[in-house]
Amino acid sequence: MLPTLLTLVFAFSHASANIITTAQLASSYDFVIAGGGVGGLVLASRLSEDQNTTVLVLEAGDTGDAVRNSIDIPGNAYYSSLLGTSYDWQYQTVPQANLKNRPIPWARGKVLGGSSAVNGMYLVRPSQLEVDSIAGLNANQSGASAWSWESLFLAMKKSETFTPPSTDIQQQGAIQYNLASHGTTGPLHYSYPGYILPIVGNWTATLDYIGIPPSPDSNGGAGWGGFIATSSINPSNWTRSYSRSAYIDPLPFRSNLAILPNATVTRLIFSNTTSGSAGLNVTAVEWAAGRGAATSRVGVNKEAIIAGGAIGSPQLLMHSGVGPKDVLDAAGVPVNVNLPGVGQHLQDHLSTQVVFKTTAETAASIKGTSQSSNGTSTPFLSFINSAIAYANSTDLFGLDFPSQFQQEIMANLSQSVGTLVPSQDSTVLEGYKAIYSTTAQKFLTSQVGQVELLFSLTGTAVGGDSSIAIQAALQHPFSQGRIYINSSDPFDYPVIDPQYFSHPADALLLREGLKLARKLGQTQPLNASISGEVSPGASVVTDADWDAWIPGQVGTEFHPGCTCAMLPQSQGGVVDANLKVYGLANVRVIDASVYPLQFAAHLQAPTYGLAEQGASIIRAQYNGVPPPSASTTSTPTGLPVPSTTSVSTKNAASSHASQMPFALLLSVFTAALAAGSF
């Protein structure tokens, strides 16, 4: 009886006053938001600050109240994960030709809070160069300055309340941070775990030994090098801070805010008239509780806002008749707006890991610490993986190869456009060129990371609790895929085809990242705690060995984006710089699908900033105040920006890539491009 009573009290204490039932639903709202993840709940909270504005959120998933311990306790992201349950959409890609024809699972949160309720809690921001590149791609559009680093940096800070680590945690983990790069009054809690394993303190020292320096301010626009990342943790009770607990649960009852769970938006309903050149007007949103359930409609007085993520947002647009005409015709959906870029430009972070046996304690080996059931956790259970690094092309290849690698990639642009883009629409092809060229010319030889390295201390399937892993993840893929519907039923999952490794540069970059991960395990001081390599092991030595092993191992890092890209319509864009969908007068998309290119970062932190910025843009339009923008540029507050050849002599001497014959490496890459595969 007592445990049941405690559970009920716990659930009641977390219940939001603004979550409603179907019986409480009004006939219309000013803003109807499709999706209650990061974007949707930030928008709901901010837009409803205006008391004369009514806001409804329709979320396909449940509230999550029944599984709050799995959500709230950070360590349960590993030990009691909701992935693979009804709180996970459990998507899969189509079999990937370059990954041994394997379909790749794509977990996404199906719960109020979206993936922020089930993810690994990393809060890693992109670098200034990456963010400013988005503004540059949209430079000729009104509102593009809202997406400069200066402006988005302020929006990310607005979202957060940062709490520094304790002195003990900081010293043990060799943690560096800059208070000036963080916010102090936002809804989302940023901090570090209340417990840290001693081996974490060896991470940045080991990276530094091979020439990847520690970052003194990874959040200030120079997010490369090695560091201990901030995480979405509330240090007052060592719980996950996510979009629901940060932006919704603390609110008092607001009569102008309603959040309806278990409500899947099936399509947008348009009027028969247009608003001149602005396009079609949405007058209502259709939704249903599930497959086979009756559909209902709720009126839209001002705008419909789509916040379904990289999969859900293009899917909803297509089921509403907005998307590539050939796709809609084949699926039996009447075309309202032929918008070829919907679902295109799909990019993702692909990763796998090198696993080692260790003599050190891991989180998995000591995870027996008790946990309470009242919404708090012990400091130990606040421990999550957060040691990270971003290795640039010089770190991967040494001094000589990056510029030649860049030249080869650009020389093959026409071939890639002709053979790798999953669309023949001229605007989509132009968008591919713009993204490809930006990735190659601005990122590839810069200090920005090309591969992310993650230090995992929560056990592995192949090595058990007394194992650690160093994961490597491709950050700026040249491969682009698509998401599309093949049915008129909105409850049928869309087809997801990221076309992993369709461009051979991706396989080469990730291979060198994994070799670097192995090298870290062999380097002091980390190697003092490692007793052997478990995977891939002694059978993988040569490049050919790696190339045979990698396709059977890699999977997603769960960072899909770019499927409703913010680009000019002439480049296959779906939304403009004000996040409005082309051809629609009163519809915006505000989530990670609007990024036109991938970041060397995790998408959670920039998406909180994106949603804050989107709310400011909308409120400016309806409240008669200037929209967010930035008239000046800033220098990142972290590391200085050296030339692309500025590396320590230690790195040049120890780099495994610098010892590789340059001509051989270049010839292998060139041959792979010519063959179309690795």
Side-chain angles (χ1 to χ4, degrees):
M1 173 64 80
L2 183 58
T4 301
L5 180 60
L6 285 173
T7 300
L8 290 172
V9 170
F10 170 57
F12 180 77
S13 69
H14 283 73
S16 169
N18 299 290
I19 296 176
I20 66 167
T21 64
T22 304
Q24 298 169 289
L25 194 64
S27 60
S28 68
Y29 294 82
D30 293 329
F31 296 95
V32 178
I33 301 170
V38 169
L41 295 188
V42 172
L43 289 161
S45 180
R46 293 304 191 190
L47 295 178
S48 64
E49 288 176 1
D50 299 326
Q51 295 182 6
N52 61 346
T53 296
T54 57
V55 180
L56 169 67
V57 178
L58 296 170
E59 164 55 36
D62 200 359
T63 62
D65 288 339
V67 288
R68 287 305 289 251
N69 269 6
S70 290
I71 294 173
D72 284 346
I73 296 173
N76 281 347
Y78 310 107
Y79 311 128
S80 182
S81 173
L82 293 174
L83 304 188
T85 73
S86 62
Y87 297 93
D88 172 9
W89 283 95
Q90 300 184 57
Y91 294 113
Q92 278 198 334
T93 72
V94 298
Q96 294 296 286
N98 298 309
L99 304 186
K100 298 189 175 180
N101 289 316
R102 292 182 298 131
I104 304 301
W106 273 26
R108 310 304 299 160
K110 187 181 182 182
V111 63
L112 194 59
S115 292
S116 74
V118 301
N119 66 13
M121 288 158 276
Y122 286 92
L123 287 167
V124 181
R125 293 177 184 163
S127 296
Q128 178 176 344
L129 177 63
E130 296 169 300
V131 175
D132 282 342
S133 294
I134 292 180
L137 286 168
N138 293 278
N140 294 326
Q141 296 197 61
S142 172
S145 61
W147 307 110
S148 68
W149 168 259
E150 182 78 8
S151 192
L152 188 62
F153 182 46
L154 294 176
M156 289 187 287
K157 290 172 68 174
K158 180 180 179 180
S159 74
E160 75 174 27
T161 289
F162 174 71
T163 301
S166 68
T167 301
D168 183 50
I169 293 294
Q170 183 178 6
Q171 291 176 348
Q172 287 191 56
I175 295 171
Q176 298 186 61
Y177 61 88
N178 181 355
L179 279 173
S181 293
H182 293 282
T184 57
T185 60
L188 186 73
H189 286 279
Y190 276 44
S191 193
Y192 299 89
Y195 179 93
I196 199 163
L197 292 157
I199 195 174
V200 173
N202 293 333
W203 176 247
T204 54
T206 304
L207 288 159
D208 196 27
Y209 191 86
I210 65 169
I212 300 177
S215 172
D217 180 19
S218 60
N219 286 286
W224 49 79
F227 53 94
I228 308 303
T230 46
S231 299
S232 50
I233 291 176
N234 183 345
S236 70
N237 57 6
W238 302 120
T239 57
R240 176 195 296 266
S241 186
Y242 67 113
S243 59
R244 175 184 168 175
S245 67
Y247 280 85
I248 299 300
D249 287 347
L251 298 179
F253 172 72
R254 287 180 178 174
S255 60
N256 63 327
L257 173 61
I259 300 170
L260 182 64
N262 301 303
T264 299
V265 176
T266 53
R267 62 180 176 135
L268 308 177
I269 306 299
F270 300 101
S271 67
N272 293 324
T273 60
T274 64
S275 295
S277 60
L280 293 174
N281 276 295
V282 167
T283 57
V285 166
E286 182 184 271
W287 64 275
R291 186 188 295 272
T295 59
S296 301
R297 293 184 181 183
V298 60
V300 175
N301 301 329
K302 291 182 178 179
E303 293 190 16
I305 302 172
I306 301 175
I311 302 171
S313 290
Q315 179 186 15
L316 176 56
L317 282 172
M318 285 185 271
H319 280 293
S320 303
V322 180
K325 184 179 184 302
D326 59 337
V327 170
L328 302 183
D329 287 344
V333 174
V335 178
N336 287 308
V337 176
N338 179 19
L339 193 57
V342 174
Q344 295 286 339
H345 304 311
L346 172 62
Q347 298 157 64
D348 186 31
H349 291 162
L350 196 61
S351 72
T352 190
Q353 61 191 12
V354 179
V355 179
F356 305 92
K357 276 293 185 182
T358 182
T359 57
E361 283 188 321
T362 70
S365 68
I366 56 175
K367 69 177 184 288
T369 303
S370 63
Q371 63 189 56
S372 62
S373 59
N374 61 354
T376 66
S377 72
T378 65
F380 168 73
L381 284 171
S382 73
F383 177 83
I384 51 179
N385 295 320
S386 56
I388 199 167
Y390 289 90
N392 60 43
S393 57
T394 302
D395 299 324
L396 297 173
F397 298 118
L399 293 172
D400 297 326
F401 186 58
S403 61
Q404 296 298 319
F405 188 37
Q406 179 188 57
Q407 292 173 21
E408 288 293 329
I409 288 172
M410 288 306 302
N412 282 276
L413 172 59
S414 296
Q415 178 184 335
S416 297
V417 170
T419 60
L420 302 183
V421 183
S423 171
Q424 293 306 306
D425 178 81
S426 62
T427 66
V428 174
L429 297 178
E430 288 302 311
Y432 180 90
K433 291 178 187 177
I435 296 166
Y436 185 107
S437 298
T438 298
T439 302
Q441 295 179 324
K442 290 194 173 184
F443 300 161
L444 188 60
T445 59
S446 75
Q447 289 295 92
V448 171
Q450 301 304 314
V451 168
E452 178 184 73
L453 299 166
L454 299 179
F455 192 28
S456 176
L457 298 167
T458 49
T460 65
V462 295
D465 290 349
S466 294
S467 67
I468 61 175
I470 301 177
Q471 301 170 10
L474 178 71
Q475 297 298 286
H476 295 121
F478 289 95
S479 304
Q480 294 183 27
R482 65 168 175 156
I483 289 173
Y484 62 98
I485 61 172
N486 61 358
S487 161
S488 61
D489 185 344
F491 287 94
D492 288 344
Y493 279 5
V495 179
I496 302 170
D497 186 6
Q499 296 197 148
Y500 289 131
F501 284 169
S502 57
H503 195 292
D506 294 349
L508 179 57
L509 285 161
L510 186 54
R511 180 225 289 163
E512 297 306 307
L514 287 162
K515 289 159 71 174
L516 190 58
R518 170 181 276 175
K519 185 176 184 66
L520 286 169
Q522 298 168 345
T523 301
Q524 61 181 353
L526 187 58
N527 64 355
S529 301
I530 289 176
S531 57
E533 182 178 307
V534 178
S535 176
S539 63
V540 174
V541 178
T542 67
D543 286 346
D545 294 337
W546 282 106
D547 292 342
W549 180 79
I550 290 170
Q553 302 297 319
V554 290
T556 179
E557 203 182 19
F558 308 110
H559 299 159
C562 315
T563 50
C564 294
M566 185 198 308
L567 285 171
Q569 193 170 2
S570 61
Q571 294 180 340
V574 176
V575 300
D576 64 17
N578 291 308
L579 304 171
K580 284 193 170 182
V581 177
Y582 293 114
L584 303 181
N586 61 337
V587 179
R588 299 182 207 249
V589 178
I590 304 181
D591 57 36
S593 70
V594 306
Y595 303 129
L597 44 79
Q598 273 286 4
F599 299 129
H602 290 234
L603 298 186
Q604 179 172 229
T607 303
Y608 277 110
L610 169 82
E612 287 279 10
Q613 201 76 324
S616 296
I617 291 169
I618 294 169
R619 295 175 77 181
Q621 175 177 334
Y622 292 97
N623 296 346
V625 297
S629 64
S631 58
T632 60
T633 58
S634 64
T635 299
T637 57
L639 294 170
V641 184
S643 69
T644 57
T645 58
S646 176
V647 298
S648 69
T649 55
K650 179 166 53 181
N651 181 54
S654 63
S655 169
H656 60 279
S658 66
Q659 299 171 17
M660 187 181 305
F662 168 74
L664 175 60
L665 190 57
L666 182 59
S667 67
V668 168
F669 175 69
T670 305
L673 279 171
S677 63
F678 232 89

